[in-house]
Amino acid sequence: MYRFREDPFPPLQRTGTARVYPYPMQDDVTDELTEHEFTAVVLDNGLLRVTVLPDFGGHILSVRDLRNDREVFYHNLPLKFGLIALRGAWYSGGLEFNFPQVGHTVTTNDPLAWHLTENEDGSATVFLGTIERLTRMAWTARVTLRPNDGRLHTRLWLFNRTPFWHRIYFWTNVSVPARDDFRFLLPCTQVFSWWWGARGVANFPIHDGADLSRYTTHKRPTDLFAKDLRADWFGCYYEQLDYGVLHFASRFEVQGRKLWTWGTADDGAVWTKLLSDARAPYCEIQSGRFVHQGVHRLMPPRTVETWSEAWFPVWGLGGVLHASEQLALNAHRNGSNLTLRLFALVPLPDVTFTLLQGGKTLERTTLSLQVGEPQTLTEKLSSDEPVTVLVGEKGRMVLQVRLLLDGEKVRADYREEPAPHIGLPEQHLSEPTTVTDWLLQALEREERNEPEAAAECYRKALQLDLHCVAAMNGLAKWHLKRGELRQGKEWAQKALSVDPQSEDALWWMAVASYWEAGHGTGDTGQGARETGVAKACLRALGRSVTYRAAAFALLGELLLREGDHRSALDAFQRALEWNSQDSKALALAAFAARKLGDTDLAQEFLERCERVNPLEPLLWSERHFLRGTGGEREERTFKPFPDDQLWLDAVSDYEQVGAWGTVSVWFAVARRHPSSMHRSVWSPSFGTNPMLLYHAAFAMWQLGKVAEALALLREAQQHSPLFVFPSRHEDAAALRTALTLAPDDLLAHYLLGTWLASVGRWDEAEGHWRKATQSEEATLRALAWRNLGLHFRLKGNWHEAATAYDAAIHTVSQREPLREYAWRLWLERDQVLASAGWHEKRVALFEGAPEAIRRKSQIVARWAEALLRVDNPEGAYALLMETSFKPWEGEWAMRQLWKEAHMRLGQRAMAAGNFAVARRHFELAADYPANLNVGKPHWTDDADALFWAGWCALRMGEKDAARQLLERAATENQPPNATTAEFKAKAATLLATIVASTQETESKGQRA
């Protein structure tokens, strides 16, 4: 595989849909080949062999069709990365699961928890998933092969195990080879497309004479999303190979079907080179929970969403007209004969095939269909009327479809089939003017992960209606997500004063009181009062359809905190009546039963939990406490904990129920398994994550063992802060406790500041970071200065930001381990200097930078831009010529700098009368050098460069060259929003003048 490097500096500046904190960026991709050992899980049923890499984001690396000895999906080795994923590095190939943020997911390269099981029916399942850290929701994908079944089955399970509503997004991305005979099969009449059609909607498959189903039609990067999906299948087919890949899922559960292609122009070919040593192009066929990837929806607290999908190869059909869950069909007409081809995905030894036309039965026969063996039937037609194909087995319908006969063409008739309700407005919301408008916009902002913008919308609604309960609840939620419990509680109280039965207000009041009681201030009376408030609100929600399962689950946690295990068990059982798939409630019910001494009942709950989600961290911790410790059994138990974060998730869950003794024991268990406690699999090992020690100290303090707590805090301070990104409310509580016990703990100050900034509380973070800059430990000091620099940069305080970055860079340059990451600080400082307009200083700093800094392509890009700002295009050109860049998807900055440099040089030479030099620069300005790695797109916007190159050639007396250059400018294939359209028109005018002049000269010559 090719190496990429992670960023040790917390990515706090990335917000909205670009947010990745608490994950580090992975945006330093290299051309360095290296070896890396992955665990591979292989499923094989004699028809398909599936290779899964749990250590690599749960990617399905390969699905091998054993009948045909070929890969079903795009198989791409070695692993090669481009800057496409949310965190940067992304690999093309196989199958990838993406949740919960738009784009290639934050865990696409990270190790996931996994569990392998053999089922009673002879099938085998590998479970893949994690608790992702952006929202702390859980997801699990069950990947199953069944005996004598040609399908790869997946069952997706999403669980919001938090008290908040969170936005969700889930897309399964499958890469398939891109070939000229590729055809996209999509049972719809319209697609969302941002390149084709008016207002983002195009007809499918034919739009304005273009066949959108063909790969070769798309010259530009293109995505197509089904708008009115009329059947439950889709896929692609290779006509020359007579081979296809299909997908099946209920369109009402999985609304999204997508094609993605880089297109066939040079800019697409560049990405093939960046992502594949074989330079083999690929397309993506994707399935998604919602209709397109701009759509997110909010998931209520403690709820589960689950659905099934299947992917499978077919062949020997000549194409596909329709597919059911077990059967694929194609049909061709030749005169009065209709040829039907059937492809079974499971054995169908005794099915009844019926063909109807015009109310009459043309054929009824019994068929025996074997897996992977296409069967052909030819029937005589009685007319041109539609025909209906029915395939049934033992009273159930295996396949049913109506076929339209249009001359020699045959197509499926889905006109009467309902499309799913996609829930999108016909027109985008205009500028809000009413309370309803502001509330709708707040919802939209929340779905985009823009909490501050949503809060502002709620404030606007309250300006129009002081008694708007929905806005009050929205602000309560916003404050609670930021850890501002008092303010959140105040807004919930205001909402209840207007509407005492507001379910949302009762819920937020309960959550605020639950946390205040749990995080503790040492005032036992206050804790009891908060617990009482929370209990009253939760019991009031027992009749709420939205909140009752969550309310009983949270009530159970409160009762565990009080030590009332019997009542807690009752509450969890009530919660499970309403949501039987709440794996956290099942595991905590087992905890309650264990505390009551009922090990059989505890084991029963754990078995139920494993059936629901075998990757639930509390399942394995509780199983450990039931089974005892030590030996091979313990090693097997902790395979689902691939890194330190799932250990911390289990610790946090125990803290919330007041199980401080369990936390301390669990920490001791974690210490025995250092191999599963990596901070980052892609970065150097920095020892134990100090957050584990801070949580252990928190537990000891709660148990009254202050000396032990202080010893753990001293140990925590000895560990590196690199790649430590606290993100949980429980992390903040542990760090605040540390600072109560040890106010001079500068590592705790730094980490608490980082958590505060991550929830938008930057001003509070500043004080903690300033204290951390006093540390004698250089790494901690550098991180604190960097975060301060980022803070001031976001505030627009350029002088303080530059000073902070100067301090960070000076500190880093003195010693390891941050020295290799110093270029990132240079880059961020340059962004500050550029914003301030201090371009001469930028250039001076780059010219005096260490060689290791100057070599980084990311730095070269900033340096070249700075040179252009100080009117040194020669220097910019030289830098751009000698460096190979790795752009982000959709990034054109290097090409823009290249063009700007040459346009300036051309204008300068032209003004000096040196038309030959000017022409050369103008022609270069229209070029797309290979080292920039952008490629020439189908649409270009270079008419200005070509016009001036032609003009210079004309001034030099080179009319033929001028004509060619001007013709290129005048006929340039420009995008609708081209910035050089006027030069295209000027070129056409000048070209016409040249042609007319030439014709007149020739005419005069003939007359002479």
Side-chain angles (χ1 to χ4, degrees), residues 63-141:
V63 177
R64 190 77 182 173
D65 173 358
L66 300 177
R67 284 278 187 94
N68 294 288
D69 193 25
R70 60 170 298 127
E71 292 291 331
V72 178
F73 301 152
Y74 176 70
H75 190 53
N76 181 21
L77 290 177
L79 305 181
K80 193 173 186 180
F81 300 93
L83 293 175
I84 294 174
L86 283 166
R87 295 166 65 189
W90 182 76
Y91 155 79
S92 63
L95 182 152
E96 169 197 38
F97 301 109
N98 296 284
F99 173 80
Q101 188 90 310
V102 62
H104 297 286
T105 187
V106 288
T107 55
T108 191
N109 301 320
D110 285 4
L112 299 183
W114 64 277
H115 180 67
L116 181 65
T117 183
E118 295 185 11
N119 308 309
E120 292 182 358
D121 63 358
S123 64
T125 299
V126 58
F127 295 82
L128 306 156
T130 192
I131 297 175
E132 60 79 29
R133 289 174 247 163
L134 289 173
T135 64
R136 296 186 69 190
M137 292 191 291
W139 69 273
T140 297

Side-chain angles (χ1 to χ4, degrees), residues 120-167:
E120 292 182 358
D121 63 358
S123 64
T125 299
V126 58
F127 295 82
L128 306 156
T130 192
I131 297 175
E132 60 79 29
R133 289 174 247 163
L134 289 173
T135 64
R136 296 186 69 190
M137 292 191 291
W139 69 273
T140 297
R142 305 182 185 195
V143 178
T144 300
L145 284 187
R146 299 171 182 165
N148 209 12
D149 187 328
R151 300 165 296 180
L152 170 65
H153 296 271
T154 62
R155 184 160 185 84
L156 292 315
W157 182 87
L158 314 181
F159 175 34
N160 181 359
R161 67 198 308 278
T162 80
F164 292 110
W165 294 69
H166 284 297
R167 65 200 296 266

Side-chain angles (χ1 to χ4, degrees), residues 44 75 149 165 173 249 354 413 470 494 506 509 564 596 605 687 747 796 800 882 916 918 934 942 945 966 971 997 999:
D44 188 329
H75 190 53
D149 187 328
W165 294 69
N173 179 24
T354 304
D413 182 8
K494 289 179 182 180
L506 286 166
M509 178 66 78
D564 188 350
L596 290 168
F605 277 115
L747 176 57
E800 287 205 62
E882 65 190 22
V934 291
D942 298 318
L966 291 169
T971 60
S997 173
Q999 290 174 346

Side-chain angles (χ1 to χ4, degrees), residues 671-689:
R671 279 197 186 249
R672 292 202 295 272
H673 299 275
S675 63
S676 67
M677 292 171 60
H678 304 288
R679 302 188 199 184
S680 170
V681 71
W682 301 112
S683 299
S685 175
F686 296 104
T688 300
N689 185 334

Side-chain angles (χ1 to χ4, degrees), residues 185-245:
L185 307 176
L186 190 61
C188 68
T189 64
Q190 288 190 318
V191 290
F192 290 105
S193 172
W194 282 262
W195 287 117
W196 300 91
R199 291 178 286 110
V201 176
N203 296 322
F204 188 86
I206 307 299
H207 182 80
D208 289 343
D211 188 347
L212 303 189
S213 71
R214 289 200 171 276
Y215 165 68
T216 52
T217 298
H218 302 285
K219 311 304 179 187
R220 306 180 299 272
T222 299
D223 44 18
L224 304 176
F225 298 89
K227 183 175 186 287
D228 61 332
L229 193 64
R230 302 285 177 165
D232 294 332
W233 70 281
F234 89 119
C236 65
Y237 208 87
Y238 301 94
E239 294 170 336
Q240 293 178 12
L241 292 176
D242 200 9
Y243 194 91
V245 180

